Amino acid sequence: MSDSFAGGRLTIDLGALAANWSFLARLDPTSECAAVVKADAYGLGIAEAAPALARAGAKTFFVAHLSEARAVRGAVPNATIYVLNGLPPGACDAFAAIDARPVLGCVDEILEWAAFHAASGARGQAAVHVDTGMTRLGLDPDQARDLLPRLPFTPALLMSHLACADEPLRPETGRQRALFAELCAQAPGVPASLANSAGTLLRETDGGGLGFHLRRPGVALYGANPIAGRPAALRPVVRLEARVAQVREAPAGAVVGYGGAERLRRRTKLAIVSVGYADGVLRAGGSEDGAPGAAAAVGGVPCPYVGRISMDLIAVDVTDAPEPVARGGWVEILGDTIGVDDLARACGTIGYEVLTGLGRRHERRFMG
């Protein structure tokens, strides 16, 4: 959307996105680095993000749904595309039509894909998903031990998904890796994929051994670090600024916002900015008496939110801002001072939810 009078201005740095992919690729040169662009490239736009990643060197892309695979095919015609959420009943023709590869995670999907190929002679490929501890999608280990040696087709990829790699001290990651390696031995010669963003970053400090043949970073591409407390050389990709609708003075003792959740302790200059939870700034980031919330930034200085976040508005305390704030001006909601992970922590959530929740009302600008 391009609207110079929008309440929010979202700048997406495609150069930083490409640099993050290159950084992650260098962590393990023995393993291919793919790119996860599901959820419209984590909310930032497949049509722009996928070509930028392809120019950086990404050849393989992962999405959740066939509709997203179509978007990637249109943006990067030569891409290898895997669809993580599997094969819906009756969808084989649709996958074959755009040469997208379903990630088959149950016996019924495997049988339907095999029957389609036997009947049609289609030459499309698919991945097989084995469950090593997430208990979500995938063949359970006993099914995998039984089926993998006698599959009626050769998978293009055998994959599983790490459940706890964002917490490096958890023993589950080592157990998942060992089980996955055992199951891979049931399908010799088939490329394997286990590492997500956290698994890819663990390689940097732990040696990890999680890379196998192909890694699938997602959120780290977009500048969020899935491993709290472990800095990584990721560049911020998004900058969100909010337009100031009004600047007002309020006396000590005044209450701010719905429910009067916060009472001012001093005379305060408030900037009322034109974004809210409808724009992806989660309501949980608001403040109340004795419980601070998130912050915006003015001139590189954090300025706290005051009171509850509304659908379209946030009150920000700019009393101590280092530069003037005026109607029509801008404050930083996300950027160099307030990172994606900073806002996520203040809202009690994760960077994934912040990125994918950024609303569609912002004026969007792409750079790089």
Side-chain angles (χ1 to χ4, degrees):
M1 182 179 80
S2 181
D3 180 357
S4 60
F5 297 110
R9 185 167 64 191
L10 182 64
T11 303
I12 298 162
D13 187 344
L14 298 175
L17 175 68
N20 288 341
W21 182 89
S22 297
F23 163 72
L24 295 166
R26 288 193 300 270
L27 292 181
D28 186 357
T30 68
S31 173
E32 180 185 350
C33 188
V36 180
V37 293
K38 62 183 180 177
D40 198 24
Y42 284 60
L44 304 188
I46 280 179
E48 294 80 15
L53 290 162
R55 288 192 295 270
K59 297 179 173 61
T60 303
F61 294 81
F62 286 80
V63 296
H65 302 293
L66 184 59
S67 59
E68 297 173 329
R70 292 190 183 103
V72 175
R73 180 62 69 218
V76 186
N78 295 323
T80 298
I81 307 168
Y82 288 95
V83 180
L84 291 164
N85 282 23
L87 180 69
C92 291
D93 280 319
F95 275 84
I98 63 165
D99 191 22
R101 301 178 178 184
V103 178
L104 309 173
C106 68
V107 174
D108 288 346
E109 289 182 348
I110 290 171
L111 293 176
E112 183 171 348
W113 185 254
F116 168 73
H117 276 262
S120 68
R123 300 170 65 182
Q125 299 190 67
V128 171
H129 191 153
V130 295
D131 176 25
T132 57
M134 178 73 87
T135 318
R136 201 174 59 175
L137 296 175
L139 300 171
D140 69 42
D142 287 339
Q143 286 178 320
R145 292 184 187 101
D146 178 52
L147 283 174
L148 290 177
R150 55 188 186 88
L151 284 172
F153 58 89
T154 300
L157 188 70
L158 185 67
M159 61 171 284
S160 190
H161 194 66
L162 294 168
C164 306
D166 56 334
E167 301 177 64
L169 298 181
R170 295 277 294 271
E172 289 92 332
T173 299
R175 290 198 289 265
Q176 282 193 265
R177 190 210 179 281
L179 177 56
F180 185 58
E182 176 206 329
L183 297 177
C184 287
Q186 303 298 315
V190 176
S193 176
L194 180 63
N196 53 5
S197 284
T200 297
L201 289 168
L202 283 177
R203 173 81 185 194
E204 183 179 19
T205 53
D206 299 294
L210 299 171
F212 289 87
H213 299 93
L214 180 144
R215 292 165 292 132
R216 313 184 306 271
V219 76
L221 295 172
Y222 308 97
N225 185 350
I227 306 178
R230 287 209 183 182
L234 298 167
R235 289 173 50 182
V237 174
V238 297
R239 178 178 180 82
L240 176 60
E241 299 162 286
R243 188 188 297 277
V244 177
Q246 183 179 345
V247 178
R248 60 184 301 157
E249 299 272 351
V255 294
V256 180
Y258 282 117
E262 183 163 1
R263 187 175 300 273
L264 297 177
R265 299 184 179 184
R266 62 173 181 174
R267 185 166 187 82
T268 304
K269 180 182 287 187
L270 296 172
I272 312 301
V273 300
S274 290
V275 297
Y277 58 76
D279 304 293
V281 186
L282 301 175
R283 188 174 182 271
S287 68
E288 56 186 52
D289 289 339
V298 176
V301 174
C303 297
Y305 293 1
V306 183
R308 292 179 182 167
I309 294 172
S310 304
M311 183 181 290
D312 314 296
L313 296 166
I314 303 171
V316 178
D317 181 352
V318 295
T319 310
D320 301 322
E323 56 190 50
V325 179
R327 169 176 166 260
W330 300 89
V331 302
E332 174 193 306
I333 302 297
L334 288 170
D336 294 332
T337 305
I338 310 296
V340 168
D341 298 312
D342 298 324
L343 182 57
R345 280 190 293 272
C347 295
T349 186
I350 54 177
Y352 302 75
E353 188 172 21
V354 170
L355 286 168
T356 58
L358 293 174
R360 290 292 173 182
R361 297 194 296 186
H362 308 304
E363 177 189 7
R364 289 189 169 223
R365 300 177 174 185
F366 292 88
M367 57 180 288

